[in-house]
């Protein structure tokens, strides 16, 4: 067990406090960092031994490669090979932001990062404090989501502490992540850019930059081998069973009514417009509007974590259509529920 230090940097910037975390990274330790998507668990990305500690702390399968987080676009030249000037021009516009690109790796990258692949995943997070931190560390930071493997990703320092207390050196508390689901992973090594993991950036949004973008077929076909190794594992799952219901209000309400009669304790994740049909209860969490899914994305993992602590028989979530951002949200919910999705 190590003592995990929480470094509070939510308010005013404090260089002394930040430097404590910088020194941990320089000494080969682990620091959880805030990003706009979810919290990451960071180590010096050029130090294979430090990176090895990430896999241990998370209990992550070691064939699942990590994302390198950088603070300046120029760093991509030393970490990758053969990146096109067109791709660079687009990344200049999109970064910092919730998009990770997979490119050919350079010799600098330790094997622990890429799990033996010839490519490496890179992104610049849209969080000023974290970019400053990366800059002070002076190296790219390898950082997967800072949850225990299989658990929902953490969107606050508190959630990181739940999973990582005693396993990592420090957590930088920079407040809550405002996007709430992980970055879109886009493979730039094929002729047509391919979405390996859906996220904030949808296909339609990316096609404004690259004329044509495809989905990795494994995203919607269980039988295909995904190009992102992380996509094949059990993921984002609370201990409590999750059921996702997709349908009209009335059909969903009838189904919930039935479940309430069968089961004693059910947690509900519903939309704002459902509020009038339910009482205010601790085991009901409202996820904003079903027309504008950003709030659902923002609180999705946190809500699953909260309800998981309430000793429920089942968590029932209202699902959405798999289009636009809804596709990214349903990608997470399918995994959280082990595909326990019911269309009504
Ligand atoms: O928003 C995010 O991306 C967060 C924050 C912390 O930046 N990070 C994150 O990391 O979600 P992680 O490790 O939980 O997910 C990384 C995903 C995995 O599915 C992994 O398999 C894929 O990216 N990946 C990493 N390197 C890859 C590569 N070279 N080729 C294909 N997929 C790769
Ligand atoms: Mg993850």
């Amino acid at each position: 067990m190590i003592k995990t230090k929480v470094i509070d940097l939510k308010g005013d910037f404090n260089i002394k406090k930040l430097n404590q975390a910088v020194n941990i990274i320089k000494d080969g330790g682990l620091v959880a960092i805030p990003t706009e998507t979810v919290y990451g668990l960071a180590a010096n990305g050029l130090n294979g031994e430090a990176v090895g500690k990430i896999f241990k702390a998370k209990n992550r399968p070691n064939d699942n490669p990590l994302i390198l987080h950088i603070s300046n676009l120029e760093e991509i030249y030393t970490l990758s090979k053969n990146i096109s000037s067109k791709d660079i021009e687009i990344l200049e516009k999109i970064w910092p932001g919730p998009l990770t690109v997979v490119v050919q790796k350079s010799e600098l990258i330790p094997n622990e990062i890429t799990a033996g692949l010839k490519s490496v995943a890179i992104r610049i997070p849209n969080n000023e404090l974290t970019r400053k931190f990366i800059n002070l560390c002076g190296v790219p930071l390898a950082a997967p989501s800072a949850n225990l493997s299989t658990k929902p990703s953490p969107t606050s320092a508190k959630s990181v502490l739940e999973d990582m207390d005693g396993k990592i050196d420090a957590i930088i508390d920079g407040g809550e992540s405002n996007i709430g689901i992980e970055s879109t992973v886009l493979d730039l090594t094929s002729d047509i850019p391919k979405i390996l993991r859906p996220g904030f950036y949808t296909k339609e949004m990316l096609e404004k930059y690259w004329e044509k973008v495809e989905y990795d077929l494994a995203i919607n076909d269980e039988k295909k081998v995904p190009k992102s190794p992380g996509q094949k594992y059990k993921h984002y799952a609370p201990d409590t069973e999750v059921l996702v219901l997709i349908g009209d209000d009335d059909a969903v309400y009838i189904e919930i009514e039935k479940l309430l009669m069968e089961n004693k304790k059910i947690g509900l994740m519903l939309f704002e417009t459902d509020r009038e049909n339910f009482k205010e209860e601790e085991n009901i969490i409202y996820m904003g509007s079903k027309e504008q899914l950003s709030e659902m994305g923002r609180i999705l993992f946190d809500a699953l974590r909260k309800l998981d602590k309430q000793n429920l028989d089942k968590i029932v979530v209202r699902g959405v259509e798999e289009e636009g951002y809804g596709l990214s949200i349903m990608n997470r919910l399918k995994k959280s529920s082990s595909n326990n999705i019911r269309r009504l």
Side-chain angles (χ1 to χ4, degrees), residues 13-281:
F13 178 69
N14 179 323
I15 186 75
K16 264 202 191 135
K17 284 192 190 172
L18 193 61
N19 270 330
Q20 294 175 1
V22 171
N23 288 332
I24 294 171
I25 294 290
K26 289 188 170 162
D27 289 343
L30 301 183
V31 177
I33 55 172
T35 88
E36 79 281 31
T37 55
V38 301
Y39 271 67
L41 180 55
N44 176 349
L46 300 182
N47 175 344
E49 199 187 323
V51 172
K53 293 181 189 168
I54 294 178
F55 286 87
K56 219 172 145 217
K58 277 183 61 94
N59 197 15
R60 182 179 175 105
N62 52 19
D63 67 343
N64 191 4
L66 304 178
I67 298 172
L68 284 180
H69 294 68
I70 59 176
S71 56
N72 289 299
L73 181 60
E74 288 69 42
E75 295 167 58
I76 203 169
Y77 290 113
T78 54
L79 302 172
S80 69
K81 281 196 297 207
N82 302 328
I83 185 157
S84 76
S85 51
K86 182 188 167 203
D87 289 344
I88 291 287
E89 268 168 40
I90 297 173
L91 290 175
E92 248 163 14
K93 294 189 190 128
I94 291 184
W95 278 350
L99 177 75
T100 296
V101 293
V102 171
V103 291
Q104 282 180 45
K105 71 166 189 175
S106 77
E107 280 72 32
L108 263 186
I109 316 282
N111 271 329
E112 286 84 353
I113 296 280
T114 60
L117 297 174
K118 291 201 172 75
S119 59
V120 64
I122 301 179
R123 90 174 183 106
I124 305 184
N126 190 13
N127 180 306
E128 212 186 322
L129 172 66
T130 295
R131 285 203 305 279
K132 204 171 264 180
F133 178 59
I134 299 170
N135 210 294
L136 288 170
C137 290
V139 287
L141 296 183
S145 48
N147 50 288
L148 283 175
S149 209
T150 79
K151 294 287 160 220
S153 300
T155 52
S156 67
K158 186 169 156 271
S159 294
V160 176
L161 202 61
E162 276 169 18
D163 282 17
M164 291 297 161
D165 196 13
K167 295 189 162 79
I168 65 175
D169 300 287
I171 301 171
I172 297 177
D173 185 352
E176 281 173 25
S177 301
N178 52 25
I179 291 180
I181 67 175
E182 305 84 347
S183 63
T184 303
V185 177
L186 186 69
D187 183 6
L188 295 179
T189 66
S190 45
D191 290 340
I192 299 171
K194 227 184 219 144
I195 296 176
L196 306 184
R197 176 179 71 182
F200 176 82
Y201 275 100
T202 61
K203 180 172 181 287
E204 297 73 31
M205 284 159 85
L206 292 172
E207 282 178 339
K208 298 220 164 79
Y209 299 93
W210 288 275
E211 300 81 68
K212 197 170 160 40
V213 171
E214 289 173 341
Y215 284 111
D216 181 13
L217 291 175
I219 288 178
N220 278 317
D221 186 345
E222 295 257 299
K223 283 173 228 100
K224 296 227 157 50
V225 177
K227 226 182 145 184
S228 245
Q231 293 284 312
K232 68 177 184 256
Y233 292 110
K234 179 174 178 202
H235 236 129
Y236 319 120
D239 292 329
T240 315
E241 182 192 331
V242 176
L243 167 66
V244 180
L245 297 179
I246 304 177
D248 295 342
D249 291 352
D250 287 341
V252 169
Y253 298 158
I254 290 170
E255 198 58 31
I256 290 174
E257 199 55 44
K258 269 195 225 156
L259 289 165
L260 282 170
M261 287 197 287
E262 285 167 25
N263 283 272
K264 283 184 215 76
K265 291 172 81 187
I266 286 186
L268 294 172
M269 289 166 57
L270 304 171
F271 291 113
E272 201 47 53
T273 43
D274 300 326
R275 209 183 268 273
E276 55 195 32
N277 292 284
F278 293 85
K279 282 185 245 137
E280 282 307 314
E281 281 179 56

Side-chain angles (χ1 to χ4, degrees), residues 276-334:
E276 55 195 32
N277 292 284
F278 293 85
K279 282 185 245 137
E280 282 307 314
E281 281 179 56
E282 200 193 18
N283 58 342
I284 306 182
I285 294 178
Y286 294 98
M287 312 181 286
S289 143
K290 66 174 158 248
E291 274 77 45
Q292 222 285 72
L293 297 175
S294 54
E295 178 69 1
M296 182 177 188
R298 192 178 72 79
I299 68 164
L300 187 74
F301 289 141
D302 192 55
L304 289 171
R305 280 178 175 266
K306 277 191 183 129
L307 293 175
D308 202 24
K309 281 184 223 136
Q310 294 187 24
N311 247 314
L312 301 161
D313 298 318
K314 211 187 277 263
I315 299 171
V316 176
V317 188
R318 273 202 84 160
V320 293
E321 291 306 328
E322 286 178 69
E323 52 196 27
Y325 198 35
L327 188 140
S328 308
I329 288 178
M330 285 305 293
N331 170 269
R332 306 306 190 267
L333 277 176
K334 279 182 184 169

